[in-house]
Amino acid sequence: MAPAPSSTHSAITLNINGEKHTLTVDHRTTLLDALRERLDLTGTKKGCDQGQCGACTVLLDGRRAVSCLHLAVAAEGREITTIEGIAEGERLHPVQQAFLDFDGYQCGYCTPGQICSAIAVIEEHAAGWPSAVTDDVRPEAGPPPLTADEIRERMSGNLCRCGAYVSIVQAVARAATVQAETGEATEAVA
């Protein structure tokens, strides 16, 4: 049973991977700690706990967010997708499959955050969002080619201490190609 709300606590309902979870949290509780410590969704990893490594990346309303810097109370009413909500049953998400096919992981610790970021990167690119390395940022230019440089820049907020970057770039490129060829959306199935 959750403790009663006080002036420093609130009862909140989080919509995570298509399921509603009601809990009472201290106003200072991060989304990461609510996911891991309160809801046992441990796929999202705690790396630096300072928003610098990307290991805790989740999708909030389809956009990537580092959950260690996002307060749980601020996530109420938003669609939260964690790595546990990416696959559709036994069918892996195209990004997950590409990470397997190209060995886009080594120890695997950063992989959940990398996958959530990659899903958002592909969507951002398809929507025509420029990056710091995009040559022509005019909206009428459309999405730039999704080159290795584009992928590296767009994924730069996610660190891999094992150094699997070459495979990660290949996996993101493959997943983007699969989406373009099949018309299959890469957004998470919650």
Side-chain angles (χ1 to χ4, degrees), residues 102-117:
F102 287 91
D103 295 325
Y105 54 88
Q106 284 184 18
C107 78
Y109 196 81
C110 72
T111 305
Q114 296 274 3
I115 289 172
C116 287
S117 276

Side-chain angles (χ1 to χ4, degrees), residues 11-62:
I12 61 172
T13 301
L14 299 175
N15 186 5
I16 304 167
N17 303 325
E19 272 185 50
K20 295 206 182 294
H21 300 269
T22 300
L23 59 155
T24 300
V25 296
D26 181 295
H27 295 155
R28 299 166 295 178
T29 302
T30 64
L31 178 56
L32 174 62
D33 287 338
L35 292 170
R36 291 184 58 80
E37 307 300 327
R38 300 291 305 280
L39 298 171
D40 247 359
L41 293 168
T42 57
T44 304
K45 303 301 184 211
K46 183 178 275 199
C48 67
D49 212 18
Q50 297 176 6
Q52 302 204 7
C53 73
C56 67
T57 303
V58 297
L59 300 174
L60 285 178
D61 297 329

Side-chain angles (χ1 to χ4, degrees), residues 104-174:
Y105 54 88
Q106 284 184 18
C107 78
Y109 196 81
C110 72
T111 305
Q114 296 274 3
I115 289 172
C116 287
S117 276
I119 290 167
V121 159
I122 294 168
E123 292 299 319
E124 291 164 7
H125 175 262
W129 294 13
S131 79
V133 298
T134 302
D135 288 330
D136 189 349
V137 297
R138 294 174 301 136
E140 60 271 14
L146 194 57
T147 63
D149 284 344
E150 279 284 343
I151 294 169
R152 278 192 285 276
E153 173 60 29
R154 292 167 186 265
M155 291 291 294
S156 65
N158 291 81
L159 303 179
C160 174
R161 287 169 176 85
C162 297
Y165 295 114
V166 171
S167 299
I168 291 167
V169 169
Q170 291 171 336
V172 174
R174 170 58 61 85

